[in-house]
Amino acid sequence: MSDRYMEKIRMSKLKVAVIGAGAAGMIAAYKAAEFADVTIYEKNEKPGKKIYITGKGRCNVTNASDMETILNHVTTNKKFMYSAFYTFTNEDMMSLLNEYGLELKVERGNRVFPVSDKSQDVIWTLRRMLRDRKVQVEYNAEIKDLMIDNGFVKGVILQSGRKEFYDKVIMATGGVSYPVTGSDGKGIHILEKAGHTVREMRPSLVPMNVGEEFVKELQGLSLKNISVSFYEEGRKKPIYEEFGEMMFTHFGVTGPVILSASSVIGGKIKNGNIRLVIDLKPALSEEQLDERILRDFKENMNKDFRNSLDKLLPKSMIHVIIEKSQIDPFKKVHEISREERVRLLNTIKGLAMTITSLRGFQEAIITSGGIHVKEINPATMESKIVKNLYIAGEMIDVDALTGGYNLQIAWSTGYLAGMAATESV
């Protein structure tokens, strides 16, 4: 074929811009590049900065549960995710990464990680996928605005003032959590300027501040196999419960069960109205725990009470539990009354504290809130406000619990956006 003919084919090919080289942006670009010329504009000097730090640097790629389970772990606007999740499933994502040479493993809670335990390997795999589809990536290229004419997107304007024209534009700039990775919310403001409604944005999957001073004494203590319950003031039924692991910090609490709870209670916290209750021995009923305490007491009958709990509780927690149970620490074990023993039992199975607030966006894994789902077509991810404009990933007001579910939201919405943007080809 002549060079002139090949140039004509190239010029007639659909041109798609993807804004953001995060999880949603890269998978959107990969899919769109199957039928279109695709250029990614990334404000950072390299792709996948947020992917790099997910899962403590190991990258919890997705969750291996069935899609119904994954849907049930979406805490905000889960119905919006039906089309995206079933168009591009967790198994589809795992197969695609395997196809490009990335070996995966499944751990506790069906969390999926690269066998290497290195998030960098996930990023390199995504880069190979983009190279395979000949996707162009412009780094240090921040978008200033969209070019919109009569309700249709026509291209992008870069911070330098340069204008680039495109047939379709996919926005995938992320939320406002971990702003050091580039997720500073500017992309969301561009969409707001274009006419979209932005739902209140809050940090999610984030540690919590606690009002009580005793947490400082427990700083660094990790607890396994505990259960947590969160109660709203004036209500007997918990608004969230979970079993698992957590940790105390100088400001409050963190860890898997706490991060997951933050996505549920975040919008409910007002003036210390949320109470956290920790059951330190959820595997034991009250009767079984009482028997265990009596057994320990029998072994330590002539000791001071403060020296009798070493087998039952972590050493750093004993002082706090004794103080909360209001038992004289120097009282001999054989002198402790049944009433005091019941107070000890209730403290162990109901260590309570007040949640004053969530930590900020700098520590949040994801953003809750974002572009209103009613303004996005869930079957295509196309904006209902601006034609030929697609929105994917954390920009959308959809979020889930911790465990790989939020990355799957990014993969699924990104893939669907890339597919829909080139469906006419």
Side-chain angles (χ1 to χ4, degrees):
M1 294 183 185
S2 69
D3 291 344
R4 187 176 176 183
Y5 182 71
M6 290 301 294
E7 179 67 10
K8 187 176 179 181
I9 291 175
R10 192 189 68 78
M11 291 297 288
S12 65
K13 205 173 184 183
L14 194 73
K15 290 183 69 181
V16 176
V18 176
I19 317 304
M26 284 194 276
I27 199 71
Y30 171 80
K31 180 57 181 172
E34 188 175 7
F35 300 110
D37 276 331
V38 179
T39 301
I40 298 178
Y41 293 95
E42 168 55 50
K43 68 188 295 183
N44 291 313
E45 74 288 353
K46 58 185 179 182
K49 270 198 166 182
K50 193 169 179 183
I51 295 174
Y52 187 76
I53 61 174
T54 59
K56 296 179 180 177
R58 297 172 62 217
C59 188
N60 185 183
V61 177
T62 186
N63 191 284
S65 300
D66 60 83
M67 291 311 295
E68 196 61 36
T69 299
I70 290 177
L71 267 168
N72 288 333
H73 281 80
V74 176
T75 54
T76 307
N77 295 317
K78 76 174 183 179
K79 287 183 179 178
F80 176 83
M81 288 302 304
Y82 273 94
S83 290
F85 273 166
Y86 285 103
T87 297
F88 189 70
T89 68
N90 53 349
E91 290 185 0
D92 292 331
M93 186 61 198
M94 290 186 281
S95 296
L96 187 57
L97 292 172
N98 286 155
E99 185 184 325
Y100 279 88
L102 184 68
E103 292 184 64
L104 302 170
K105 61 181 177 180
V106 180
E107 296 188 357
R108 182 181 53 82
N110 279 332
R111 289 168 162 84
V112 179
F113 293 90
V115 168
S116 65
D117 283 330
K118 294 178 181 176
S119 56
Q120 185 63 59
D121 290 343
V122 178
I123 297 167
W124 280 112
T125 303
L126 291 164
R127 294 182 82 165
R128 278 197 298 275
M129 290 164 58
L130 296 179
R131 283 197 298 271
D132 185 50
R133 291 269 168 99
K134 297 180 171 54
V135 173
Q136 300 296 312
V137 186
E138 285 198 28
Y139 296 111
N140 300 305
E142 187 174 354
I143 298 302
K144 183 178 181 181
D145 208 350
L146 296 171
M147 287 189 282
I148 299 171
D149 184 27
N150 289 324
F152 284 80
V153 70
K154 297 295 182 181
V156 298
I157 304 171
L158 280 76
Q159 284 292 343
S160 62
R162 186 175 113 222
K163 294 182 179 181
E164 293 290 346
F165 291 87
Y166 288 93
D167 300 297
K168 307 286 180 81
V169 175
I170 301 171
M171 291 288 287
T173 61
V176 291
S177 56
Y178 285 136
V180 292
T181 63
S183 297
D184 56 11
K186 287 182 181 176
I188 289 174
H189 294 310
I190 288 173
L191 292 179
E192 187 175 29
K193 183 182 171 185
H196 274 282
T197 303
V198 178
R199 306 285 282 181
E200 180 192 359
M201 291 185 287
R202 296 188 309 273
S204 191
L205 300 187
V206 65
M208 302 179 188
N209 292 312
V210 168
E212 286 76 9
E213 286 293 313
F214 73 78
V215 296
K216 293 177 182 177
E217 299 178 47
L218 301 175
Q219 180 180 347
L221 173 64
S222 291
L223 299 176
K224 294 183 178 180
N225 303 319
I226 51 87
S227 72
V228 295
S229 302
F230 290 83
Y231 295 86
E232 207 167 354
E233 192 174 25
R235 296 190 177 185
K236 292 183 178 180
K237 189 177 179 182
I239 53 177
Y240 185 82
E241 293 179 293
E242 193 175 353
F243 175 90
E245 300 176 21
M246 62 167 286
M247 186 174 80
F248 289 97
T249 70
H250 66 284
F251 56 77
V253 287
T254 188
V257 297
I258 300 299
L259 299 183
S260 287
S262 70
S263 67
V264 176
I265 72 164
K268 299 178 184 292
I269 300 174
K270 296 170 188 172
N271 303 319
N273 66 324
I274 301 292
R275 192 164 49 99
L276 163 61
V277 178
I278 304 170
D279 184 345
L280 299 168
K281 300 291 179 181
L284 300 178
S285 66
E286 290 186 5
E287 291 77 13
Q288 289 170 328
L289 179 57
D290 192 35
E291 288 174 11
R292 167 70 194 275
I293 291 170
L294 282 169
R295 198 161 59 244
D296 286 358
F297 277 8
K298 192 173 182 180
E299 291 176 9
N300 299 281
M301 285 184 68
N302 297 314
K303 288 185 178 180
D304 290 347
F305 175 54
R306 65 193 177 117
N307 296 324
S308 68
L309 302 174
D310 289 358
K311 290 183 179 179
L312 189 64
L313 298 167
K315 191 172 183 179
S316 59
M317 182 167 260
I318 292 173
H319 170 70
V320 171
I321 296 297
I322 289 175
E323 195 173 88
K324 288 286 181 184
S325 66
Q326 298 179 318
I327 302 172
D328 180 357
F330 296 97
K331 194 171 188 177
K332 296 300 181 184
V333 170
H334 67 266
E335 296 175 348
I336 291 175
S337 67
R338 184 181 184 284
E339 182 186 333
E340 288 173 322
R341 200 176 74 241
V342 169
R343 287 209 304 270
L344 172 63
L345 184 151
N346 289 338
T347 304
I348 292 171
K349 289 195 74 70
L351 181 62
M353 57 203 75
T354 308
I355 303 300
T356 57
S357 61
L358 301 183
R359 300 292 284 178
F361 282 113
Q362 288 79 4
E363 297 174 52
I365 295 174
I366 62 161
T367 302
S368 177
I371 303 302
H372 202 318
V373 295
K374 288 184 178 178
E375 297 170 356
I376 303 169
N377 183 341
T380 63
M381 295 296 129
E382 185 177 15
S383 165
K384 293 179 181 179
I385 307 295
V386 181
K387 294 295 181 186
N388 296 336
L389 174 65
Y390 299 80
I391 306 168
E394 203 178 333
M395 303 185 83
I396 305 170
D397 182 20
V398 178
D399 58 273
L401 302 179
T402 183
Y405 306 107
N406 287 286
L407 259 181
Q408 188 58 46
I409 289 172
W411 306 132
S412 294
T413 56
Y415 187 94
L416 181 54
M419 183 179 82
T422 57
E423 203 161 32
S424 62
V425 178

